[in-house]
mmCIF file of all heavy atoms in Angstrom:
data_model
loop_
_atom_site.group_PDB
_atom_site.id
_atom_site.type_symbol
_atom_site.label_atom_id
_atom_site.label_comp_id
_atom_site.label_asym_id
_atom_site.label_seq_id
_atom_site.Cartn_x
_atom_site.Cartn_y
_atom_site.Cartn_z
ATOM 1 N N GLY V 29 109.018 102.855 120.020
ATOM 2 C CA GLY V 29 107.976 101.916 120.343
ATOM 3 C C GLY V 29 106.817 102.190 119.317
ATOM 4 O O GLY V 29 106.875 102.948 118.348
ATOM 5 N N TYR V 30 105.597 101.661 119.652
ATOM 6 C CA TYR V 30 104.446 101.832 118.839
ATOM 7 C C TYR V 30 103.279 102.091 119.719
ATOM 8 O O TYR V 30 102.977 101.445 120.669
ATOM 9 C CB TYR V 30 104.170 100.390 118.080
ATOM 10 C CG TYR V 30 102.789 100.473 117.302
ATOM 11 C CD1 TYR V 30 102.738 101.153 116.080
ATOM 12 C CD2 TYR V 30 101.852 99.847 117.793
ATOM 13 C CE1 TYR V 30 101.553 101.181 115.459
ATOM 14 C CE2 TYR V 30 100.541 99.916 117.175
ATOM 15 C CZ TYR V 30 100.371 100.620 115.979
ATOM 16 O OH TYR V 30 99.231 100.707 115.315
ATOM 17 N N VAL V 31 102.396 103.168 119.310
ATOM 18 C CA VAL V 31 101.237 103.521 120.029
ATOM 19 C C VAL V 31 100.153 103.788 119.167
ATOM 20 O O VAL V 31 100.402 104.403 118.148
ATOM 21 C CB VAL V 31 101.617 104.785 120.854
ATOM 22 C CG1 VAL V 31 100.423 105.374 121.578
ATOM 23 C CG2 VAL V 31 102.759 104.515 121.849
ATOM 24 N N GLU V 32 98.998 103.362 119.631
ATOM 25 C CA GLU V 32 97.680 103.794 118.959
ATOM 26 C C GLU V 32 96.906 104.691 119.928
ATOM 27 O O GLU V 32 96.757 104.276 121.199
ATOM 28 C CB GLU V 32 96.909 102.462 118.642
ATOM 29 C CG GLU V 32 97.438 101.664 117.660
ATOM 30 C CD GLU V 32 96.470 100.400 117.356
ATOM 31 O OE1 GLU V 32 95.316 100.453 117.728
ATOM 32 O OE2 GLU V 32 97.053 99.328 116.782
ATOM 33 N N LEU V 33 96.466 105.690 119.427
ATOM 34 C CA LEU V 33 95.594 106.723 120.106
ATOM 35 C C LEU V 33 94.210 106.654 119.464
ATOM 36 O O LEU V 33 94.021 107.273 118.428
ATOM 37 C CB LEU V 33 96.211 108.037 120.217
ATOM 38 C CG LEU V 33 95.487 109.198 120.975
ATOM 39 C CD1 LEU V 33 95.576 108.814 122.431
ATOM 40 C CD2 LEU V 33 96.113 110.524 120.788
ATOM 41 N N ASN V 34 93.246 106.039 120.115
ATOM 42 C CA ASN V 34 91.885 105.960 119.410
ATOM 43 C C ASN V 34 90.819 106.590 120.334
ATOM 44 O O ASN V 34 90.830 106.350 121.546
ATOM 45 C CB ASN V 34 91.546 104.520 119.359
ATOM 46 C CG ASN V 34 92.526 103.647 118.556
ATOM 47 O OD1 ASN V 34 93.065 104.197 117.387
ATOM 48 N ND2 ASN V 34 93.020 102.635 118.877
ATOM 49 N N ARG V 35 89.909 107.354 119.734
ATOM 50 C CA ARG V 35 88.781 107.928 120.312
ATOM 51 C C ARG V 35 89.283 108.656 121.692
ATOM 52 O O ARG V 35 88.671 108.354 122.746
ATOM 53 C CB ARG V 35 87.708 106.951 120.524
ATOM 54 C CG ARG V 35 87.007 106.569 119.363
ATOM 55 C CD ARG V 35 85.926 105.503 119.450
ATOM 56 N NE ARG V 35 86.395 104.304 120.023
ATOM 57 C CZ ARG V 35 87.095 103.361 119.427
ATOM 58 N NH1 ARG V 35 87.529 103.519 118.117
ATOM 59 N NH2 ARG V 35 87.494 102.231 119.998
ATOM 60 N N SER V 36 90.260 109.380 121.696
ATOM 61 C CA SER V 36 90.920 110.021 122.936
ATOM 62 C C SER V 36 91.172 111.430 122.693
ATOM 63 O O SER V 36 90.915 111.959 121.670
ATOM 64 C CB SER V 36 92.154 109.270 123.236
ATOM 65 O OG SER V 36 91.966 107.933 123.506
ATOM 66 N N GLY V 37 91.474 112.179 123.826
ATOM 67 C CA GLY V 37 91.641 113.611 123.655
ATOM 68 C C GLY V 37 92.698 114.106 124.476
ATOM 69 O O GLY V 37 93.055 113.492 125.606
ATOM 70 N N ILE V 38 93.412 115.223 124.061
ATOM 71 C CA ILE V 38 94.409 115.991 124.781
ATOM 72 C C ILE V 38 94.010 117.425 124.772
ATOM 73 O O ILE V 38 93.923 117.949 123.740
ATOM 74 C CB ILE V 38 95.851 115.666 124.135
ATOM 75 C CG1 ILE V 38 96.244 114.164 124.211
ATOM 76 C CG2 ILE V 38 96.852 116.581 124.985
ATOM 77 C CD1 ILE V 38 97.431 113.817 123.369
ATOM 78 N N ASP V 39 93.913 117.908 126.003
ATOM 79 C CA ASP V 39 93.456 119.242 126.069
ATOM 80 C C ASP V 39 94.227 120.086 127.121
ATOM 81 O O ASP V 39 94.492 119.582 128.215
ATOM 82 C CB ASP V 39 91.920 119.422 126.373
ATOM 83 C CG ASP V 39 91.461 120.732 126.428
ATOM 84 O OD1 ASP V 39 91.889 121.583 125.523
ATOM 85 O OD2 ASP V 39 90.632 121.113 127.201
ATOM 86 N N ASN V 40 94.845 121.253 126.755
ATOM 87 C CA ASN V 40 95.490 122.087 127.660
ATOM 88 C C ASN V 40 96.748 121.610 128.206
ATOM 89 O O ASN V 40 96.816 121.234 129.434
ATOM 90 C CB ASN V 40 94.495 122.628 128.772
ATOM 91 C CG ASN V 40 94.957 123.695 129.464
ATOM 92 O OD1 ASN V 40 95.678 124.648 128.822
ATOM 93 N ND2 ASN V 40 94.676 124.004 130.727
ATOM 94 N N SER V 41 97.707 121.215 127.307
ATOM 95 C CA SER V 41 98.998 120.842 127.912
ATOM 96 C C SER V 41 99.965 122.062 127.720
ATOM 97 O O SER V 41 99.906 122.835 126.782
ATOM 98 C CB SER V 41 99.563 119.667 126.946
ATOM 99 O OG SER V 41 99.760 120.120 125.567
ATOM 100 N N ALA V 42 100.920 122.071 128.710
ATOM 101 C CA ALA V 42 101.747 123.335 128.696
ATOM 102 C C ALA V 42 102.778 123.194 127.552
ATOM 103 O O ALA V 42 103.299 124.155 127.027
ATOM 104 C CB ALA V 42 102.609 123.261 130.056
ATOM 105 N N GLY V 43 103.144 122.014 127.251
ATOM 106 C CA GLY V 43 104.091 121.768 126.196
ATOM 107 C C GLY V 43 103.412 121.279 124.829
ATOM 108 O O GLY V 43 102.348 121.946 124.557
ATOM 109 N N ASP V 44 103.922 120.320 124.266
ATOM 110 C CA ASP V 44 103.234 119.815 123.011
ATOM 111 C C ASP V 44 102.081 118.863 123.332
ATOM 112 O O ASP V 44 102.115 118.256 124.398
ATOM 113 C CB ASP V 44 104.325 118.959 122.238
ATOM 114 C CG ASP V 44 105.445 119.747 121.655
ATOM 115 O OD1 ASP V 44 105.275 120.910 121.345
ATOM 116 O OD2 ASP V 44 106.577 119.186 121.674
ATOM 117 N N GLY V 45 101.049 118.946 122.531
ATOM 118 C CA GLY V 45 99.957 117.959 122.860
ATOM 119 C C GLY V 45 100.320 116.488 122.704
ATOM 120 O O GLY V 45 100.245 115.622 123.596
ATOM 121 N N PHE V 46 101.067 116.040 121.577
ATOM 122 C CA PHE V 46 101.370 114.844 121.239
ATOM 123 C C PHE V 46 102.832 114.799 120.690
ATOM 124 O O PHE V 46 102.922 115.366 119.620
ATOM 125 C CB PHE V 46 100.391 114.126 120.352
ATOM 126 C CG PHE V 46 100.638 112.760 119.786
ATOM 127 C CD1 PHE V 46 100.005 111.709 120.323
ATOM 128 C CD2 PHE V 46 101.518 112.532 118.785
ATOM 129 C CE1 PHE V 46 100.204 110.504 119.939
ATOM 130 C CE2 PHE V 46 101.773 111.186 118.375
ATOM 131 C CZ PHE V 46 101.042 110.146 119.010
ATOM 132 N N THR V 47 103.821 114.191 121.209
ATOM 133 C CA THR V 47 105.149 114.110 120.737
ATOM 134 C C THR V 47 105.573 112.663 120.471
ATOM 135 O O THR V 47 105.499 111.895 121.505
ATOM 136 C CB THR V 47 106.121 114.825 121.688
ATOM 137 O OG1 THR V 47 105.711 116.151 121.927
ATOM 138 C CG2 THR V 47 107.632 114.754 121.223
ATOM 139 N N ILE V 48 106.106 112.374 119.349
ATOM 140 C CA ILE V 48 106.665 111.092 119.098
ATOM 141 C C ILE V 48 108.038 111.228 118.396
ATOM 142 O O ILE V 48 108.147 111.840 117.588
ATOM 143 C CB ILE V 48 105.758 110.114 118.289
ATOM 144 C CG1 ILE V 48 106.404 108.805 118.090
ATOM 145 C CG2 ILE V 48 105.390 110.730 117.050
ATOM 146 C CD1 ILE V 48 105.416 107.635 117.457
ATOM 147 N N LEU V 49 109.061 110.607 119.162
ATOM 148 C CA LEU V 49 110.283 110.457 118.637
ATOM 149 C C LEU V 49 110.801 108.998 118.329
ATOM 150 O O LEU V 49 110.753 108.255 119.304
ATOM 151 C CB LEU V 49 111.364 111.125 119.597
ATOM 152 C CG LEU V 49 110.942 112.483 120.008
ATOM 153 C CD1 LEU V 49 111.872 112.960 121.190
ATOM 154 C CD2 LEU V 49 111.112 113.629 118.828
ATOM 155 N N LEU V 50 111.323 108.745 117.182
ATOM 156 C CA LEU V 50 111.800 107.371 116.879
ATOM 157 C C LEU V 50 110.820 106.255 117.086
ATOM 158 O O LEU V 50 111.046 105.336 117.777
ATOM 159 C CB LEU V 50 113.053 107.182 117.723
ATOM 160 C CG LEU V 50 114.241 108.196 117.495
ATOM 161 C CD1 LEU V 50 115.398 107.966 118.552
ATOM 162 C CD2 LEU V 50 114.770 108.337 116.113
ATOM 163 N N GLY V 51 109.675 106.415 116.623
ATOM 164 C CA GLY V 51 108.575 105.447 116.743
ATOM 165 C C GLY V 51 107.606 105.262 115.714
ATOM 166 O O GLY V 51 107.790 105.947 114.715
ATOM 167 N N LEU V 52 106.485 104.629 115.933
ATOM 168 C CA LEU V 52 105.396 104.557 115.123
ATOM 169 C C LEU V 52 104.216 104.793 115.921
ATOM 170 O O LEU V 52 104.016 104.329 117.011
ATOM 171 C CB LEU V 52 105.170 103.155 114.499
ATOM 172 C CG LEU V 52 106.354 102.526 113.638
ATOM 173 C CD1 LEU V 52 106.219 101.032 113.337
ATOM 174 C CD2 LEU V 52 106.376 103.378 112.363
ATOM 175 N N ALA V 53 103.232 105.502 115.370
ATOM 176 C CA ALA V 53 101.858 105.745 116.030
ATOM 177 C C ALA V 53 100.734 105.804 115.034
ATOM 178 O O ALA V 53 100.954 106.175 113.806
ATOM 179 C CB ALA V 53 102.070 107.112 116.665
ATOM 180 N N SER V 54 99.575 105.565 115.537
ATOM 181 C CA SER V 54 98.322 105.576 114.697
ATOM 182 C C SER V 54 97.434 106.538 115.640
ATOM 183 O O SER V 54 97.244 106.132 116.755
ATOM 184 C CB SER V 54 97.775 104.343 114.586
ATOM 185 O OG SER V 54 96.396 104.330 114.045
ATOM 186 N N ILE V 55 96.924 107.561 115.024
ATOM 187 C CA ILE V 55 95.941 108.455 115.681
ATOM 188 C C ILE V 55 94.554 108.415 114.901
ATOM 189 O O ILE V 55 94.643 108.804 113.772
ATOM 190 C CB ILE V 55 96.382 109.854 115.843
ATOM 191 C CG1 ILE V 55 97.864 109.974 116.461
ATOM 192 C CG2 ILE V 55 95.423 110.815 116.498
ATOM 193 C CD1 ILE V 55 98.426 111.284 116.309
ATOM 194 N N SER V 56 93.531 108.021 115.566
ATOM 195 C CA SER V 56 92.260 107.919 114.859
ATOM 196 C C SER V 56 91.132 108.476 115.884
ATOM 197 O O SER V 56 91.167 108.361 117.021
ATOM 198 C CB SER V 56 91.906 106.608 114.427
ATOM 199 O OG SER V 56 91.738 105.785 115.543
#
């Protein structure tokens, strides 16, 4: 799929913070 992550945050995850497999993403 496709995901945009804008003006957001990820804090204190046990695994990975942000994982993308077989897709498109924009992080700003």
